[in-house]
Amino acid sequence: MQYRLKAVDELMIYAAIEVDVRRLRNRRAIINQLPVDIIHHIFSETLDLERIHDVDFPLESIAAHRKQLFQLRGVSYSWNNFLLSSSRYWSAIDLGTSPAIIDRTLQRAQHAHLCLYTSGLTYQETRNACGPERRPVIESRRSQIRSLRSGHAAVSKFLESFFGSGLANVRTVDLCHARNWGRTDILPIPNVIDTLQHIRAVEWCPDLSGSQLANLQSLVLCGGHDLSSPKIRLIAACTNLLLLSLEKCEPRNWGSGSPDIPSTITLHHLQELHLDFTRPLNFGALVRMLAVPSEARGTLKFRSLDQLPLDGQAVDHLLHFILPSPTAVPSLNDAMIKIQIAPRSIYSPESTVTYSTSRRSINLPVPRSAQQAKEFGEAIKAFQDRLKGPHLTISLVNYSSKDYLLHHLTEAAPNKVWIKSSEWVGDALTAIGTYDAILPSGTTKTTTWPFESLQELIVEDCQINVKQLTRIVGIRRNYLRTGSLTWLKRISLVNCHLIGMPFEMAERELGNMGVVLEKANCTYSRHR
């Protein structure tokens, strides 16, 4: 028995020594020798502390911030003590957790500005978040509340009930209402809440007054589809907006001639504009109504091509979005067309084509017919002509053999084509090399060739038959010689699996034709 007690004592002494040694090692770690303000900066960047109150910071990311916080606590004893000793890291309060956890988090937050939020709750968790035991907790800390954020209608209603008690320091309101077909919920926000800077309203519209309108910097109106008169009047009254986002909207019940709709909404300070249309009905009236600085960044998205014939009038509206002033001299050096096909089907809503410049972009579903593809190709050519022919790159992500669009982009005179993660890279190369459905094996005298402006080709994350690269150049060699023309000066293969002809042989053949072939992180086998 005596020997057993002695062994236990020795183990306890050993454990205590081990803890002391671990603490000493932690103190000698480089990060623990940094100044406190630098450590705070590192943790703040890692945990996105400055963004949890921003209306464009996703709710899911706040939940991820909480998980990351506990992961950092587990790194070392000193990190855990450091995070527990500073209130700034405990400002995100998840109302879906238990009252005990909320109380413990509030104690650690001390006097920090709070973000009350819910994300990804089950039905029971939603009911718990609206429980009566939560009200005293919020009431006792209402002067510290900086943000109210919830994607659940029931929790949003619960949080809205505190507006009347005077949330004097609230800066961000991001709440969701249940879908109410046929009308938009109008939510009056009391005058005492005059610190509001950011609002995200899902299926509702805020009713604001004087100082609130002047202070508002970000306004996101999501859902409801019908972009009604109250929403338009609200936008017109928010003269100091820096961010305006209209998501899943449809301006169908009004026109520019309506008596209660302003003909022009001038937003002198706007820095970002995002318009997302469920259907393109009357989109041109809204695009021309909004007068924003030409240097503001903007995206225009259509979720459906139905009722959007890309005729002259629609193209004019789109051009107005890209370059609002008809007399402005374009100063754009680059433009890009990105065709991204969803893994499952070209007909998926996730299959999109985007035309973008340095400041503006237009996003559409991938054309599903030859006629739609032809109209889009003509629209892109009109964009390029209006912008004085900026350097154009076509990016093909997961290219599909069913894509109608690539052939119709040749008139836009692209300078670079970038093919990435495509099982149909052979079909894409055939479309680039010739108008024929099958790439010819010999030299042809055809004088009409696609993509005559092409100077660079990049193929990334694909399996590619290297022989096909020599053929798409070789078949038009006589044509290039006859006209003393140049085409495709450089081909780059990145993270590709090469089959067929050895790379060194293809490099030599293409070099003789004036094309530089290069590779990076590629593998090779003669067969698949």
Side-chain angles (χ1 to χ4, degrees), residues 310-350:
L310 290 175
D311 53 16
Q313 186 178 19
V315 170
D316 285 344
H317 294 324
L318 297 175
L319 279 170
H320 179 82
F321 179 80
I322 296 174
L323 195 66
S325 175
T327 59
V329 178
S331 57
L332 303 174
N333 298 321
D334 297 288
M336 174 178 281
I337 301 172
K338 183 177 182 180
I339 305 173
Q340 181 156 354
I341 307 300
R344 293 184 178 181
S345 172
I346 191 173
Y347 303 111
S348 167
E350 297 176 2

Side-chain angles (χ1 to χ4, degrees), residues 447-492:
T447 56
T448 56
W449 296 93
F451 299 99
E452 291 196 54
S453 59
L454 190 63
Q455 298 296 308
E456 183 177 1
L457 173 65
I458 302 174
V459 181
E460 183 177 354
D461 296 330
C462 298
Q463 177 174 281
I464 180 171
N465 189 329
V466 184
K467 178 64 177 177
Q468 196 168 20
L469 297 175
T470 63
R471 290 173 64 188
I472 65 172
V473 179
I475 59 174
R476 65 171 82 185
R477 194 175 181 188
N478 284 348
Y479 166 68
L480 297 173
R481 282 177 174 174
T482 302
S484 299
L485 304 173
T486 59
W487 184 72
L488 200 56
K489 296 179 180 179
R490 181 180 298 275
I491 300 176
S492 302

Side-chain angles (χ1 to χ4, degrees), residues 425-440:
V425 62
D427 290 349
L429 292 176
T430 299
I432 293 169
T434 177
Y435 284 115
D436 295 333
I438 301 175
L439 194 65

Side-chain angles (χ1 to χ4, degrees), residues 196-217:
L196 273 177
Q197 295 181 9
H198 313 288
I199 291 180
R200 184 172 186 267
V202 181
E203 305 290 353
W204 61 279
C205 179
D207 183 8
L208 306 175
S209 58
S211 61
Q212 295 173 324
L213 294 168
N215 292 334
L216 202 62
Q217 297 179 10

Side-chain angles (χ1 to χ4, degrees), residues 4 115 171 464:
R4 187 176 298 175
C115 171
R171 190 180 73 177
I464 180 171

Side-chain angles (χ1 to χ4, degrees), residues 36 39-40 43-44 47 49 69 79-91 105 107-112:
V36 174
I39 298 177
H40 275 310
F43 283 145
S44 296
L47 298 172
L49 289 185
L69 174 62
W79 281 30
N80 183 50
N81 283 346
F82 187 87
L83 290 168
L84 289 175
S85 64
S86 180
S87 60
R88 70 176 71 183
Y89 302 110
W90 303 94
S91 55
T105 307
Q107 290 173 10
R108 292 169 179 170
Q110 299 178 25
H111 302 293

